[in-house]
Amino acid sequence: MKPSLPGASTDRRSLLRLLGLGAAASVGGATLAGCSKEAGSKGSATTADAIRSVLPTHKPAELLKPDIPGEGPIPDGYLSYPRSLVDAVTEQPGRGGPPIRTMSPWWGPAPPTVGRNSYLAAVNARLGVEVHPSLQDGTTYADKLNAMLGARDVPELLSAPNWEVDKVARFSDAVKALFEDLTDHLKGDAAAKYPYLAALPTGAWEYSVWGGRLYAVPFPTDGPFGYALFHRADLLAQAGLAAPTSPEELHELGREVTDPAKGVWAFGSVFEMVQQFFGCQQTWRKRPDGGLEHRFENPAFAAALEFTAKLFADGLVHPDTVASKGADEKQLFKAGKILMYQDGLGAWQGMQGERVKELPSFDMQPLPVFGAAGAQPVIWGSEKPIFYTFLRKGLGAERVDELLRVLNWCAAPFGSREFELREYGVEGRHFTRAADGSPVPTELGRKELGAQYTHIGGRVPVKVRSGDTPDYVRDYLGYYQKNIALMEKDLFAGIKLELPANWSKIIQPTDDKIRDILRGRRPVGDLAQVRKEFLAAGGEEGRAFHEKALADNGR
């Protein structure tokens, strides 16, 4: 399946300010010591029929009727918090085994560890086994992940972001060498033993198969869009400016609001969203005369590149973004130093909830999706999970069962006491309640919680109203409902692609070349050379691989 972008959160405080990192740190073309095939591994594609044969039997586990029912990949929405909760897990999942060591990414200040964290103590008491989370900086997670895979030294539970997995050459070799085959534990009706894992969307499980076997528990996206282009609606309104409805208006607005003397620029990163405005596909599209066309070959990509490079050339992009791959655009946006930037929709509720406490007028909203020159835009999206959770190989059946029971607890749905404890901690310590009963994090809660259990366990995605973001659920689901018809059709839906090594190796170097063009370090005309180098170094091999995968599935 095609690479996807991070982009969703389950609550207003965990992935919240996290995802939508776009070109976050990546492993690029690094190999896996001791796990690699011969150079030039050709990859493989597992057919849709073979994928379906190893998936868990889906059994919904909805405890509450949603106020705004989801449709397809759009999650359910709840406009109030339940006054009474149920016990979703009646049997303690832990069996007194040794501590479970985990590793997962986190994009905020590092919370205290076991022994100094009352939230971890409270959850571990309920689990009946100690979980010792290791949270690693999400912006450099690729480096840690690559080193760990190369050394063959992985924790019992490892969370791997999808956008990093896609950039690891021969990742399927590492999967088979280092991680437990979960097929016999979760295939078909066997998953009923872990009902909240069985409730995870089938579309997320489809991506958790390597070599025709099930190897990971997915953390589903709570909305398939890769990005939105957020703007400071409050600041534009104060200036009497309307949100743009075309690329030309976007550029003109950038000129109006940029004021370096006041430390204000219009834009952070926007290129991925600009491509969508111009109608460019995310990776491949079918040619009218047959075969596949890569986005670098689409004139819409060239137009989007030229447009965005002009934003840079005109000085409308914040200098931190110009100078770095990893500018802290979230902080710049919150501080009003940039007025527009792209992010995953999972960043929305958390940032809005945190910032409105300091600035009541703060209002971040996604720009309406518009096209260029009368053409229809396209929205990139996928049901690809945000994270995969792998279990270390060779633990034995009893330990694997204990770990799956813990993951099942971590996946307990909205409306349960387990969900509340996992997402908010202990009432009176980590959160208080608003007048409507919804949890409001305390300072201790913000300090001690870092999605330690959320990222490893998956969950059925929902959107829940909170007192500090009263309009968020309607706004979020309204954005999806309005734009879902624009989402690009996934040519490879249901097919699992284990990408050729040469393809994985060229992703990051090519991204770097495009980044140089955007920033004016290379002329826009160099796109033709970059495209030629891309196709020669693995792009044509990738085309043939993807075309064969479609043909093998009758597409």
Side-chain angles (χ1 to χ4, degrees):
M1 296 178 181
K2 65 191 175 193
S4 75
L5 303 167
S9 169
T10 184
D11 69 299
R12 49 185 179 77
R13 204 205 38 73
S14 57
L15 286 185
L16 65 172
R17 52 188 180 224
L18 316 183
L19 301 179
L21 297 177
S26 69
V27 188
T31 58
L32 304 173
C35 298
S36 61
K37 298 178 186 175
E38 70 280 3
S41 169
K42 300 301 181 183
S44 64
T46 306
T47 65
D49 288 344
I51 294 289
R52 285 192 291 269
S53 72
V54 299
L55 299 182
T57 300
H58 179 69
K59 294 185 178 180
E62 187 178 278
L63 302 182
L64 299 170
K65 184 178 179 180
D67 298 299
I68 306 176
E71 299 177 27
I74 305 175
D76 289 336
Y78 295 87
L79 301 179
S80 62
Y81 196 83
R83 295 289 181 172
S84 60
L85 304 174
V86 302
D87 289 315
V89 180
T90 56
E91 183 180 350
Q92 195 173 59
R95 294 177 171 170
I100 300 170
R101 302 195 179 276
T102 76
M103 189 178 92
S104 57
W106 178 242
W107 287 264
T113 54
V114 168
R116 301 184 296 114
N117 188 317
S118 61
Y119 165 69
L120 298 181
V123 177
N124 286 345
R126 287 287 298 275
L127 291 176
V129 61
E130 282 206 343
V131 173
H132 289 204
S134 172
L135 299 189
Q136 300 294 320
D137 183 356
T139 60
T140 58
Y141 198 74
D143 299 331
K144 182 74 174 180
L145 180 64
N146 193 49
M148 183 172 282
L149 295 176
R152 293 173 166 256
D153 181 18
V154 296
E156 285 185 289
L157 294 177
L158 174 67
S159 173
N162 81 58
W163 59 96
E164 305 299 2
V165 165
D166 284 345
K167 294 180 179 179
V168 179
R170 295 181 286 279
F171 183 77
S172 61
D173 295 335
V175 168
K176 296 162 190 172
L178 301 177
F179 301 123
E180 189 71 25
D181 183 342
L182 302 176
T183 309
D184 294 338
H185 298 274
L186 296 172
K187 172 184 173 182
D189 293 338
K193 186 176 181 181
Y194 316 101
Y196 304 120
L197 299 185
L200 299 179
T202 297
W205 281 110
E206 288 177 348
Y207 289 87
S208 303
V209 175
W210 281 266
R213 304 291 288 178
L214 190 64
Y215 275 97
V217 172
F219 181 95
T221 175
D222 62 355
F225 294 175
Y227 285 118
L229 184 55
F230 286 103
H231 70 293
R232 286 290 302 271
D234 54 324
L235 297 182
L236 292 190
Q238 289 173 22
L241 299 172
T245 59
S246 68
E248 293 76 19
E249 290 182 9
L250 182 66
H251 182 263
E252 181 57 32
L253 179 64
R255 296 176 66 90
E256 288 191 52
V257 301
T258 297
D259 189 345
K262 294 182 178 179
V264 175
W265 283 263
F267 304 113
S269 298
V270 298
F271 182 48
E272 282 72 18
M273 280 304 302
V274 169
Q275 291 175 65
Q276 294 169 68
F277 293 158
F278 277 77
C280 185
Q281 77 274 21
Q282 185 173 347
T283 309
W284 300 102
R285 70 173 182 176
K286 286 189 174 181
R287 292 192 180 107
D289 58 349
L292 293 177
E293 173 194 81
H294 191 270
R295 66 187 171 106
F296 293 164
E297 301 171 294
N298 186 343
F301 179 83
L305 181 67
E306 182 177 4
F307 175 86
T308 310
K310 184 169 178 55
L311 300 183
F312 279 89
D314 289 351
L316 308 182
V317 180
H318 194 282
D320 288 1
T321 298
V322 175
S324 170
K325 297 180 185 179
D328 194 345
E329 294 183 347
K330 297 175 190 296
Q331 294 301 321
L332 294 171
F333 183 75
K334 286 197 293 186
K337 301 299 184 183
I338 56 175
L339 302 194
M340 282 170 272
Y341 86 119
Q342 64 190 22
D343 208 339
L345 280 107
W348 188 356
Q349 190 174 19
M351 187 183 296
Q352 179 69 30
E354 289 178 3
R355 189 70 179 104
V356 77
K357 291 178 174 60
E358 305 164 353
L359 182 66
S361 63
F362 181 86
D363 185 18
M364 65 183 292
Q365 293 288 330
L367 280 182
V369 178
F370 50 76
Q376 182 168 286
V378 64
I379 294 179
W380 299 348
S382 170
E383 288 190 69
K384 178 174 283 191
I386 300 171
F387 305 119
Y388 303 103
T389 296
F390 298 95
L391 280 64
R392 192 174 71 220
K393 190 172 184 177
L395 297 173
E398 289 188 9
R399 184 61 163 178
V400 169
D401 176 60
E402 182 175 36
L403 294 179
L404 290 175
R405 286 161 59 91
V406 167
L407 295 181
N408 180 69
W409 186 98
C410 292
F414 177 67
S416 69
R417 291 187 176 89
E418 293 81 3
F419 180 99
E420 182 173 271
L421 178 59
R422 181 190 77 218
E423 299 300 327
Y424 304 107
V426 177
E427 183 176 2
R429 177 180 290 270
H430 303 108
F431 72 91
T432 57
R433 293 196 190 274
D436 64 359
S438 60
V440 178
T442 63
E443 287 306 310
L444 182 65
R446 295 185 185 280
K447 176 183 177 182
E448 292 194 340
L449 274 70
Q452 294 97 324
Y453 303 93
T454 304
H455 287 181
I456 63 172
R459 79 286 182 266
V460 174
V462 295
K463 283 297 170 185
V464 184
R465 181 188 184 277
S466 66
D468 52 3
T469 56
D471 301 321
Y472 166 74
V473 173
R474 289 193 186 278
D475 287 348
Y476 179 95
L477 296 178
Y479 182 80
Y480 265 101
Q481 290 166 350
K482 182 177 180 180
N483 295 306
I484 192 66
L486 296 173
M487 192 171 83
E488 179 185 12
K489 181 181 179 181
D490 186 352
L491 299 176
F492 303 93
I495 307 170
K496 179 55 187 280
L497 303 180
E498 298 175 35
L499 300 171
N502 287 337
W503 174 265
S504 297
K505 289 178 180 179
I506 61 175
I507 294 174
Q508 192 59 50
T510 306
D511 283 349
D512 291 341
K513 294 173 185 177
I514 297 296
R515 184 177 293 108
D516 285 344
I517 292 175
L518 288 171
R519 285 154 175 75
R521 295 191 283 264
R522 297 181 63 167
V524 173
D526 273 9
L527 174 61
Q529 181 63 29
V530 171
R531 182 192 304 122
K532 180 179 179 181
E533 294 167 355
F534 166 81
L535 293 173
E540 288 293 2
E541 181 182 339
R543 191 200 311 274
F545 170 81
H546 285 87
E547 288 177 345
K548 183 177 186 302
L550 291 179
D552 289 347
N553 282 271
R555 301 181 191 180

